[in-house]
Amino acid sequence: MPTTRRSSAAGGADALDWVLVANGPDEFEIRETEDRLPGILFGRDDVTRSVKNRLHFDFRPKVRDAEVERLLRLGAVRVDVGQTGEEPWVVLADPEGNEFCVLSPRDP
């Protein structure tokens, strides 16, 4: 599913509720706030993916199902990787096909 670097950057920032601080043709950076480090820098990769991502993000929100619904509204899609439905996580992918999981909260 083709997307632009801008939509990818905005999607990453929206998913984390962070801000986009740099958006160039080959990389973009997001941070919790504009003046707070660390940030996450994403580089451009034009190679078609044929294997699992080398880097896989897991999100652990306070309420898993609400976060899944929010991410779906932002453009994520559900991905079937052979789950049984009993897992404490949900597998999603961003519009570029990068898979990530949304985990259930940890017990205190």
Side-chain angles (χ1 to χ4, degrees):
M1 183 181 297
T3 60
T4 65
R5 301 293 327 145
R6 171 71 184 139
S7 67
S8 190
D14 288 345
L16 292 170
D17 198 21
W18 285 19
V19 296
L20 178 64
V21 295
N23 188 25
D26 294 322
E27 64 185 25
F28 61 90
E29 182 178 356
I30 61 175
R31 297 181 189 167
E32 187 174 8
T33 63
E34 188 171 332
D35 59 346
R36 183 167 180 183
L37 293 172
I40 301 174
L41 185 71
F42 295 87
R44 182 182 181 114
D45 182 359
D46 292 326
V47 176
T48 302
R49 187 170 64 96
S50 61
V51 296
K52 186 176 179 176
N53 295 343
R54 288 177 38 186
L55 178 63
H56 176 92
F57 284 104
D58 289 332
F59 295 95
R60 188 179 304 279
K62 291 180 181 176
V63 181
R64 184 196 71 186
D65 293 343
E67 184 66 5
V68 167
E69 292 305 314
R70 187 181 78 83
L71 292 166
L72 290 171
R73 286 191 304 274
L74 290 172
V77 296
R78 292 181 184 270
V79 176
D80 182 358
V81 295
Q83 305 95 304
T84 65
E86 300 298 316
E87 295 83 7
W89 64 83
V90 175
V91 183
L92 300 176
D94 69 16
E96 292 183 348
N98 300 300
E99 297 169 0
F100 61 94
C101 292
V102 182
L103 311 177
S104 294
R106 272 205 175 123
D107 293 330

